Amino acid sequence: MNKNMKKGLFPYVFLFIFIVTCLILVNSMNTKINELSYDEFMKSMSNNEIEELTITPKTRSNLYYIEGSMKDYNENEKFTLYLPLSDEFISKIISGEADYGFSVETKQDPEAASWLLIVVNVLPYVLLIGATIWLFTRQLGGNNKSMDFGKSRAKLMEDGIKTTFKDVAGLTEEKEEVQELIDFLKNPKKFQSMGARIPKGVLLVGPPGTGKTLLARAVAGEARVPFYYISGSDFVELFVGIGASRVRDMFKQAKMNAPCLIFIDEIDAVGRQRGTGLGGGHDEREQTLNQLLTEMDGFGANEGIIIIAATNRPDVLDPALLRPGRFDRQVTVALPDKNAREEILKVHAKNKVLDKGITLEYLAKRTPGFSGADLENLLNEAALLAVRRNKKSITMAEIDEATDRVLMGPAKVTKKYTDKEKKLVAYHEAGHAVLGLKLDGANDVQKITIIPRGHAGGYTMMTPKEESFNYTKNQLLESISGLLAGRVAEEVVFNEISTGAHDDFKKATKIARSMVTEYGMSDLGPMMLEEPSENTFLGRDYTKNRNISDTVAHEIDEEMRKIINERYEITKNIIIENRKLLDLIANTLLEEETITKEQIDYLVEHGHLPKEEEEKDDNNNNEKNNNKKDTNSK
């Protein structure tokens, strides 16, 4: 039996002894004892009222200690009395010379063994006192941290971290940014000789799921130094001053293990800008932030400690936290591009059984806007679907279904359309597809389905033809046309409109407003008329000053309306000109319910979907082409 197991069993053994002792004491306290005189005892003997008798000689006192019960006694009731050792009556009972019709038990003299006397009389009280002390000390210093309010919640990775930069796919520039931290921790003299000061803090900024925490773990794994990690919410407590005390204790521990790394995840929980909100500030959070600012760059020296923090809301952080000397460097961990997505998929596909016809390059191309966490979830959902369908490998069918589940939710197969609703949805989605095929600036159609998912009756999966950082005015206008195409198709075909385009209008209106107020792409000129309205503090939104007059606000609305109406008419003309293509895609959707990009391209070229033999030939050709690409890349 190892030491840990012994330590784990000891409290339970001790607790068992304690409970047994308590039960004995409680039982003795509940027992009713009647002290009889010699005459009362002899009278009970003569009346044959005694049921049992226990006789214990006490040689030191020259007495017999007698206890017993009578026939009319309750269960927890007995009598006691003392008689001299010279009493002949008791001697006859002990020797068995006389039988009085009750059971007799004779015990040995406990006073003959002094240790037994101590055990019987003293041990229960010792155990009771010891258990009380043990429970009290456990409350103060054991697993219960009720008295450790001011202690740091930062955890030290004692066994080291196995994650390295090899486990972080993509993020090439980001890894280069933090590489200096590792070099400094390994060889600080190289930097000191040049008079260089390593950043005291590095802030990782980016959308959720892009790998900020993973990158911090990789830095710790590469540096091989003590690594403390904590969440921003671990500082904030009900009582004012507790968070500041925890910050002091965290830096105290870190200084004892310097050089070291401290990773604060979700720092926006404690680093929000001070003095904001409708109700003023938050005393506990602001005091914690003040202490963090002082520890990072105050009067005291803070050498050898590097702080890495992560957040997806840098706009809410206090400016004092972002100044040089505290978080000197901000590393933006953005959504991955096509090449980075392919590298991420390679990492997550190591333990997945993919079909030969699936290439990770193709998956990366059709998943723009996916974060690393989304890609991992996509492959995991596809693997779950393959197991559910009893397949030996993950095919493109599972990838398509997993993509739909991640974006829109599971398919509502039991939800049935009426024939009119189904036809309306088919033409609505076909309208999006026609604009995607006819306009270069509109998004590329990857998949169309009229199977309900989430809140949508159907949807068209569209991705940008080329990923870029900037968009031209024409691209934005054609994107608006692509969004309006569903409503236009309904009006052209059925001469009536439905509520199915509400999400399309939301996106189109947002693009149009950004063009007018942010991008300067309207007749109002190149001016920033509005800042992005994503402020998190309600009080700031109520008290902010308007930079535009009512006249300009009216002109903004007019420009937005002008853009939307012009694009609506242009879209309507395109739909009317391509009515045959619209009918072809819609009728195919009514039959198949779901069609992919390859099927759409074949449909446009040949006027019908490929037959099974043609599909097999196309799949074989695609597989050969993919194998050639793999061979050439090797």
Side-chain angles (χ1 to χ4, degrees), residues 61-85:
S61 319
N62 292 323
L63 293 173
Y64 284 117
Y65 173 70
I66 300 172
E67 62 180 4
S69 62
M70 297 188 185
K71 296 178 180 178
D72 58 348
Y73 276 11
N74 296 324
E75 184 178 355
N76 293 329
E77 188 177 3
K78 65 181 181 179
F79 67 85
T80 62
L81 77 155
Y82 288 92
L83 295 176
L85 290 176

PDB file of all heavy atoms in Angstrom, residues 61-85:
ATOM      1  N   SER A  61     -11.043  -1.406  46.458  1.00  0.00           N
ATOM      2  CA  SER A  61     -12.066  -0.781  47.315  1.00  0.00           C
ATOM      3  C   SER A  61     -12.726  -1.778  48.257  1.00  0.00           C
ATOM      4  O   SER A  61     -13.566  -1.367  49.080  1.00  0.00           O
ATOM      5  CB  SER A  61     -13.162  -0.155  46.450  1.00  0.00           C
ATOM      6  OG  SER A  61     -12.651   0.494  45.347  1.00  0.00           O
ATOM      7  N   ASN A  62     -12.389  -3.085  48.114  1.00  0.00           N
ATOM      8  CA  ASN A  62     -13.031  -4.131  48.915  1.00  0.00           C
ATOM      9  C   ASN A  62     -14.544  -4.130  48.728  1.00  0.00           C
ATOM     10  O   ASN A  62     -15.317  -4.291  49.684  1.00  0.00           O
ATOM     11  CB  ASN A  62     -12.697  -3.976  50.404  1.00  0.00           C
ATOM     12  CG  ASN A  62     -11.236  -4.260  50.684  1.00  0.00           C
ATOM     13  OD1 ASN A  62     -10.634  -5.154  50.077  1.00  0.00           O
ATOM     14  ND2 ASN A  62     -10.641  -3.491  51.589  1.00  0.00           N
ATOM     15  N   LEU A  63     -14.970  -3.926  47.466  1.00  0.00           N
ATOM     16  CA  LEU A  63     -16.391  -3.851  47.160  1.00  0.00           C
ATOM     17  C   LEU A  63     -16.699  -4.658  45.907  1.00  0.00           C
ATOM     18  O   LEU A  63     -15.837  -4.909  45.066  1.00  0.00           O
ATOM     19  CB  LEU A  63     -16.830  -2.394  46.925  1.00  0.00           C
ATOM     20  CG  LEU A  63     -16.781  -1.441  48.124  1.00  0.00           C
ATOM     21  CD1 LEU A  63     -17.083  -0.018  47.668  1.00  0.00           C
ATOM     22  CD2 LEU A  63     -17.779  -1.858  49.202  1.00  0.00           C
ATOM     23  N   TYR A  64     -17.981  -5.098  45.870  1.00  0.00           N
ATOM     24  CA  TYR A  64     -18.537  -5.641  44.632  1.00  0.00           C
ATOM     25  C   TYR A  64     -19.341  -4.533  43.943  1.00  0.00           C
ATOM     26  O   TYR A  64     -20.166  -3.873  44.594  1.00  0.00           O
ATOM     27  CB  TYR A  64     -19.480  -6.822  44.914  1.00  0.00           C
ATOM     28  CG  TYR A  64     -18.797  -8.112  45.268  1.00  0.00           C
ATOM     29  CD1 TYR A  64     -18.974  -8.699  46.523  1.00  0.00           C
ATOM     30  CD2 TYR A  64     -18.014  -8.780  44.323  1.00  0.00           C
ATOM     31  CE1 TYR A  64     -18.369  -9.890  46.846  1.00  0.00           C
ATOM     32  CE2 TYR A  64     -17.407  -9.983  44.661  1.00  0.00           C
ATOM     33  CZ  TYR A  64     -17.579 -10.529  45.907  1.00  0.00           C
ATOM     34  OH  TYR A  64     -16.975 -11.702  46.220  1.00  0.00           O
ATOM     35  N   TYR A  65     -19.087  -4.358  42.642  1.00  0.00           N
ATOM     36  CA  TYR A  65     -19.926  -3.438  41.875  1.00  0.00           C
ATOM     37  C   TYR A  65     -20.954  -4.283  41.148  1.00  0.00           C
ATOM     38  O   TYR A  65     -20.624  -5.141  40.327  1.00  0.00           O
ATOM     39  CB  TYR A  65     -19.102  -2.630  40.880  1.00  0.00           C
ATOM     40  CG  TYR A  65     -19.952  -1.784  39.942  1.00  0.00           C
ATOM     41  CD1 TYR A  65     -20.648  -0.677  40.423  1.00  0.00           C
ATOM     42  CD2 TYR A  65     -20.073  -2.105  38.590  1.00  0.00           C
ATOM     43  CE1 TYR A  65     -21.422   0.096  39.574  1.00  0.00           C
ATOM     44  CE2 TYR A  65     -20.858  -1.330  37.734  1.00  0.00           C
ATOM     45  CZ  TYR A  65     -21.531  -0.233  38.244  1.00  0.00           C
ATOM     46  OH  TYR A  65     -22.327   0.533  37.422  1.00  0.00           O
ATOM     47  N   ILE A  66     -22.240  -4.060  41.467  1.00  0.00           N
ATOM     48  CA  ILE A  66     -23.323  -4.893  40.947  1.00  0.00           C
ATOM     49  C   ILE A  66     -24.245  -4.011  40.102  1.00  0.00           C
ATOM     50  O   ILE A  66     -24.659  -2.925  40.519  1.00  0.00           O
ATOM     51  CB  ILE A  66     -24.126  -5.527  42.098  1.00  0.00           C
ATOM     52  CG1 ILE A  66     -23.190  -6.409  42.944  1.00  0.00           C
ATOM     53  CG2 ILE A  66     -25.288  -6.340  41.551  1.00  0.00           C
ATOM     54  CD1 ILE A  66     -23.838  -6.915  44.198  1.00  0.00           C
ATOM     55  N   GLU A  67     -24.510  -4.504  38.903  1.00  0.00           N
ATOM     56  CA  GLU A  67     -25.502  -3.849  38.049  1.00  0.00           C
ATOM     57  C   GLU A  67     -26.375  -4.928  37.435  1.00  0.00           C
ATOM     58  O   GLU A  67     -25.937  -6.065  37.224  1.00  0.00           O
ATOM     59  CB  GLU A  67     -24.844  -3.005  36.960  1.00  0.00           C
ATOM     60  CG  GLU A  67     -23.981  -3.779  35.991  1.00  0.00           C
ATOM     61  CD  GLU A  67     -23.367  -2.886  34.932  1.00  0.00           C
ATOM     62  OE1 GLU A  67     -23.564  -1.668  35.029  1.00  0.00           O
ATOM     63  OE2 GLU A  67     -22.710  -3.399  34.014  1.00  0.00           O
ATOM     64  N   GLY A  68     -27.607  -4.550  37.129  1.00  0.00           N
ATOM     65  CA  GLY A  68     -28.523  -5.531  36.577  1.00  0.00           C
ATOM     66  C   GLY A  68     -29.822  -4.889  36.174  1.00  0.00           C
ATOM     67  O   GLY A  68     -29.989  -3.662  36.214  1.00  0.00           O
ATOM     68  N   SER A  69     -30.756  -5.692  35.752  1.00  0.00           N
ATOM     69  CA  SER A  69     -32.060  -5.200  35.312  1.00  0.00           C
ATOM     70  C   SER A  69     -33.149  -6.048  35.926  1.00  0.00           C
ATOM     71  O   SER A  69     -32.935  -7.211  36.273  1.00  0.00           O
ATOM     72  CB  SER A  69     -32.162  -5.246  33.786  1.00  0.00           C
ATOM     73  OG  SER A  69     -32.039  -6.579  33.316  1.00  0.00           O
ATOM     74  N   MET A  70     -34.321  -5.442  36.045  1.00  0.00           N
ATOM     75  CA  MET A  70     -35.489  -6.147  36.584  1.00  0.00           C
ATOM     76  C   MET A  70     -36.499  -6.403  35.472  1.00  0.00           C
ATOM     77  O   MET A  70     -36.416  -5.814  34.389  1.00  0.00           O
ATOM     78  CB  MET A  70     -36.113  -5.316  37.701  1.00  0.00           C
ATOM     79  CG  MET A  70     -35.171  -5.121  38.888  1.00  0.00           C
ATOM     80  SD  MET A  70     -36.003  -4.353  40.286  1.00  0.00           S
ATOM     81  CE  MET A  70     -34.635  -4.145  41.411  1.00  0.00           C
ATOM     82  N   LYS A  71     -37.439  -7.257  35.773  1.00  0.00           N
ATOM     83  CA  LYS A  71     -38.397  -7.690  34.760  1.00  0.00           C
ATOM     84  C   LYS A  71     -39.284  -6.548  34.257  1.00  0.00           C
ATOM     85  O   LYS A  71     -39.704  -6.568  33.104  1.00  0.00           O
ATOM     86  CB  LYS A  71     -39.250  -8.832  35.308  1.00  0.00           C
ATOM     87  CG  LYS A  71     -38.435 -10.084  35.611  1.00  0.00           C
ATOM     88  CD  LYS A  71     -39.311 -11.176  36.201  1.00  0.00           C
ATOM     89  CE  LYS A  71     -38.472 -12.422  36.499  1.00  0.00           C
ATOM     90  NZ  LYS A  71     -39.285 -13.496  37.113  1.00  0.00           N
ATOM     91  N   ASP A  72     -39.545  -5.558  35.101  1.00  0.00           N
ATOM     92  CA  ASP A  72     -40.418  -4.455  34.694  1.00  0.00           C
ATOM     93  C   ASP A  72     -39.628  -3.244  34.182  1.00  0.00           C
ATOM     94  O   ASP A  72     -40.205  -2.177  33.957  1.00  0.00           O
ATOM     95  CB  ASP A  72     -41.309  -4.032  35.857  1.00  0.00           C
ATOM     96  CG  ASP A  72     -40.495  -3.614  37.074  1.00  0.00           C
ATOM     97  OD1 ASP A  72     -39.273  -3.885  37.075  1.00  0.00           O
ATOM     98  OD2 ASP A  72     -41.081  -3.012  37.998  1.00  0.00           O
ATOM     99  N   TYR A  73     -38.295  -3.385  33.976  1.00  0.00           N
ATOM    100  CA  TYR A  73     -37.468  -2.279  33.474  1.00  0.00           C
ATOM    101  C   TYR A  73     -37.619  -2.142  31.948  1.00  0.00           C
ATOM    102  O   TYR A  73     -37.930  -3.101  31.241  1.00  0.00           O
ATOM    103  CB  TYR A  73     -35.994  -2.502  33.804  1.00  0.00           C
ATOM    104  CG  TYR A  73     -35.599  -2.051  35.199  1.00  0.00           C
ATOM    105  CD1 TYR A  73     -36.577  -1.703  36.137  1.00  0.00           C
ATOM    106  CD2 TYR A  73     -34.263  -1.975  35.569  1.00  0.00           C
ATOM    107  CE1 TYR A  73     -36.201  -1.295  37.405  1.00  0.00           C
ATOM    108  CE2 TYR A  73     -33.877  -1.568  36.830  1.00  0.00           C
ATOM    109  CZ  TYR A  73     -34.870  -1.225  37.759  1.00  0.00           C
ATOM    110  OH  TYR A  73     -34.521  -0.825  39.017  1.00  0.00           O
ATOM    111  N   ASN A  74     -37.363  -0.915  31.505  1.00  0.00           N
ATOM    112  CA  ASN A  74     -37.292  -0.677  30.060  1.00  0.00           C
ATOM    113  C   ASN A  74     -35.960  -1.189  29.501  1.00  0.00           C
ATOM    114  O   ASN A  74     -35.092  -1.633  30.240  1.00  0.00           O
ATOM    115  CB  ASN A  74     -37.437   0.817  29.746  1.00  0.00           C
ATOM    116  CG  ASN A  74     -38.809   1.342  30.163  1.00  0.00           C
ATOM    117  OD1 ASN A  74     -39.820   0.636  30.047  1.00  0.00           O
ATOM    118  ND2 ASN A  74     -38.840   2.582  30.634  1.00  0.00           N
ATOM    119  N   GLU A  75     -35.784  -1.035  28.182  1.00  0.00           N
ATOM    120  CA  GLU A  75     -34.581  -1.569  27.540  1.00  0.00           C
ATOM    121  C   GLU A  75     -33.327  -0.833  28.006  1.00  0.00           C
ATOM    122  O   GLU A  75     -32.288  -1.438  28.211  1.00  0.00           O
ATOM    123  CB  GLU A  75     -34.734  -1.448  26.015  1.00  0.00           C
ATOM    124  CG  GLU A  75     -33.577  -2.060  25.237  1.00  0.00           C
ATOM    125  CD  GLU A  75     -33.783  -1.965  23.744  1.00  0.00           C
ATOM    126  OE1 GLU A  75     -34.865  -1.506  23.322  1.00  0.00           O
ATOM    127  OE2 GLU A  75     -32.850  -2.340  23.007  1.00  0.00           O
ATOM    128  N   ASN A  76     -33.415   0.497  28.134  1.00  0.00           N
ATOM    129  CA  ASN A  76     -32.259   1.311  28.540  1.00  0.00           C
ATOM    130  C   ASN A  76     -32.345   1.692  30.018  1.00  0.00           C
ATOM    131  O   ASN A  76     -32.082   2.835  30.391  1.00  0.00           O
ATOM    132  CB  ASN A  76     -32.176   2.581  27.685  1.00  0.00           C
ATOM    133  CG  ASN A  76     -31.851   2.279  26.249  1.00  0.00           C
ATOM    134  OD1 ASN A  76     -31.159   1.304  25.960  1.00  0.00           O
ATOM    135  ND2 ASN A  76     -32.361   3.088  25.331  1.00  0.00           N
ATOM    136  N   GLU A  77     -32.678   0.752  30.844  1.00  0.00           N
ATOM    137  CA  GLU A  77     -32.795   1.014  32.274  1.00  0.00           C
ATOM    138  C   GLU A  77     -32.118  -0.113  33.048  1.00  0.00           C
ATOM    139  O   GLU A  77     -32.237  -1.284  32.695  1.00  0.00           O
ATOM    140  CB  GLU A  77     -34.279   1.110  32.679  1.00  0.00           C
ATOM    141  CG  GLU A  77     -34.494   1.566  34.110  1.00  0.00           C
ATOM    142  CD  GLU A  77     -35.964   1.725  34.453  1.00  0.00           C
ATOM    143  OE1 GLU A  77     -36.821   1.422  33.585  1.00  0.00           O
ATOM    144  OE2 GLU A  77     -36.252   2.159  35.592  1.00  0.00           O
ATOM    145  N   LYS A  78     -31.374   0.240  34.107  1.00  0.00           N
ATOM    146  CA  LYS A  78     -30.701  -0.750  34.940  1.00  0.00           C
ATOM    147  C   LYS A  78     -30.526  -0.187  36.354  1.00  0.00           C
ATOM    148  O   LYS A  78     -30.697   1.015  36.588  1.00  0.00           O
ATOM    149  CB  LYS A  78     -29.360  -1.146  34.335  1.00  0.00           C
ATOM    150  CG  LYS A  78     -28.335  -0.016  34.273  1.00  0.00           C
ATOM    151  CD  LYS A  78     -27.046  -0.508  33.643  1.00  0.00           C
ATOM    152  CE  LYS A  78     -26.014   0.625  33.600  1.00  0.00           C
ATOM    153  NZ  LYS A  78     -24.728   0.171  33.000  1.00  0.00           N
ATOM    154  N   PHE A  79     -30.142  -1.084  37.260  1.00  0.00           N
ATOM    155  CA  PHE A  79     -29.885  -0.643  38.638  1.00  0.00           C
ATOM    156  C   PHE A  79     -28.445  -0.958  38.983  1.00  0.00           C
ATOM    157  O   PHE A  79     -27.804  -1.826  38.367  1.00  0.00           O
ATOM    158  CB  PHE A  79     -30.841  -1.316  39.634  1.00  0.00           C
ATOM    159  CG  PHE A  79     -30.626  -2.799  39.768  1.00  0.00           C
ATOM    160  CD1 PHE A  79     -29.660  -3.322  40.639  1.00  0.00           C
ATOM    161  CD2 PHE A  79     -31.394  -3.700  39.046  1.00  0.00           C
ATOM    162  CE1 PHE A  79     -29.461  -4.677  40.762  1.00  0.00           C
ATOM    163  CE2 PHE A  79     -31.194  -5.069  39.159  1.00  0.00           C
ATOM    164  CZ  PHE A  79     -30.220  -5.554  40.022  1.00  0.00           C
ATOM    165  N   THR A  80     -27.908  -0.224  39.954  1.00  0.00           N
ATOM    166  CA  THR A  80     -26.537  -0.439  40.441  1.00  0.00           C
ATOM    167  C   THR A  80     -26.527  -0.334  41.961  1.00  0.00           C
ATOM    168  O   THR A  80     -27.380   0.348  42.559  1.00  0.00           O
ATOM    169  CB  THR A  80     -25.568   0.598  39.845  1.00  0.00           C
ATOM    170  OG1 THR A  80     -25.969   1.908  40.268  1.00  0.00           O
ATOM    171  CG2 THR A  80     -25.535   0.544  38.327  1.00  0.00           C
ATOM    172  N   LEU A  81     -25.527  -1.023  42.568  1.00  0.00           N
ATOM    173  CA  LEU A  81     -25.262  -0.874  44.001  1.00  0.00           C
ATOM    174  C   LEU A  81     -23.907  -1.468  44.310  1.00  0.00           C
ATOM    175  O   LEU A  81     -23.335  -2.202  43.486  1.00  0.00           O
ATOM    176  CB  LEU A  81     -26.345  -1.533  44.845  1.00  0.00           C
ATOM    177  CG  LEU A  81     -26.305  -3.079  44.976  1.00  0.00           C
ATOM    178  CD1 LEU A  81     -26.987  -3.480  46.255  1.00  0.00           C
ATOM    179  CD2 LEU A  81     -26.967  -3.715  43.790  1.00  0.00           C
ATOM    180  N   TYR A  82     -23.367  -1.088  45.439  1.00  0.00           N
ATOM    181  CA  TYR A  82     -22.075  -1.596  45.911  1.00  0.00           C
ATOM    182  C   TYR A  82     -22.308  -2.427  47.166  1.00  0.00           C
ATOM    183  O   TYR A  82     -23.062  -2.030  48.072  1.00  0.00           O
ATOM    184  CB  TYR A  82     -21.124  -0.440  46.216  1.00  0.00           C
ATOM    185  CG  TYR A  82     -20.615   0.278  44.982  1.00  0.00           C
ATOM    186  CD1 TYR A  82     -21.288   1.392  44.488  1.00  0.00           C
ATOM    187  CD2 TYR A  82     -19.460  -0.152  44.332  1.00  0.00           C
ATOM    188  CE1 TYR A  82     -20.828   2.059  43.366  1.00  0.00           C
ATOM    189  CE2 TYR A  82     -18.988   0.508  43.219  1.00  0.00           C
ATOM    190  CZ  TYR A  82     -19.672   1.607  42.733  1.00  0.00           C
ATOM    191  OH  TYR A  82     -19.215   2.256  41.617  1.00  0.00           O
ATOM    192  N   LEU A  83     -21.639  -3.604  47.238  1.00  0.00           N
ATOM    193  CA  LEU A  83     -21.694  -4.471  48.424  1.00  0.00           C
ATOM    194  C   LEU A  83     -20.278  -4.843  48.821  1.00  0.00           C
ATOM    195  O   LEU A  83     -19.390  -4.948  47.952  1.00  0.00           O
ATOM    196  CB  LEU A  83     -22.500  -5.740  48.127  1.00  0.00           C
ATOM    197  CG  LEU A  83     -24.000  -5.531  47.825  1.00  0.00           C
ATOM    198  CD1 LEU A  83     -24.648  -6.855  47.458  1.00  0.00           C
ATOM    199  CD2 LEU A  83     -24.712  -4.908  49.024  1.00  0.00           C
ATOM    200  N   PRO A  84     -20.037  -5.066  50.094  1.00  0.00           N
ATOM    201  CA  PRO A  84     -18.684  -5.431  50.525  1.00  0.00           C
ATOM    202  C   PRO A  84     -18.291  -6.823  50.038  1.00  0.00           C
ATOM    203  O   PRO A  84     -19.150  -7.686  49.807  1.00  0.00           O
ATOM    204  CB  PRO A  84     -18.789  -5.383  52.048  1.00  0.00           C
ATOM    205  CG  PRO A  84     -20.227  -5.512  52.361  1.00  0.00           C
ATOM    206  CD  PRO A  84     -20.977  -4.906  51.244  1.00  0.00           C
ATOM    207  N   LEU A  85     -16.969  -7.017  49.874  1.00  0.00           N
ATOM    208  CA  LEU A  85     -16.481  -8.317  49.399  1.00  0.00           C
ATOM    209  C   LEU A  85     -16.778  -9.445  50.393  1.00  0.00           C
ATOM    210  O   LEU A  85     -16.785 -10.625  50.024  1.00  0.00           O
ATOM    211  CB  LEU A  85     -14.976  -8.246  49.149  1.00  0.00           C
ATOM    212  CG  LEU A  85     -14.519  -7.398  47.941  1.00  0.00           C
ATOM    213  CD1 LEU A  85     -13.000  -7.344  47.902  1.00  0.00           C
ATOM    214  CD2 LEU A  85     -15.063  -7.955  46.649  1.00  0.00           C
TER     215      LEU A  85
END
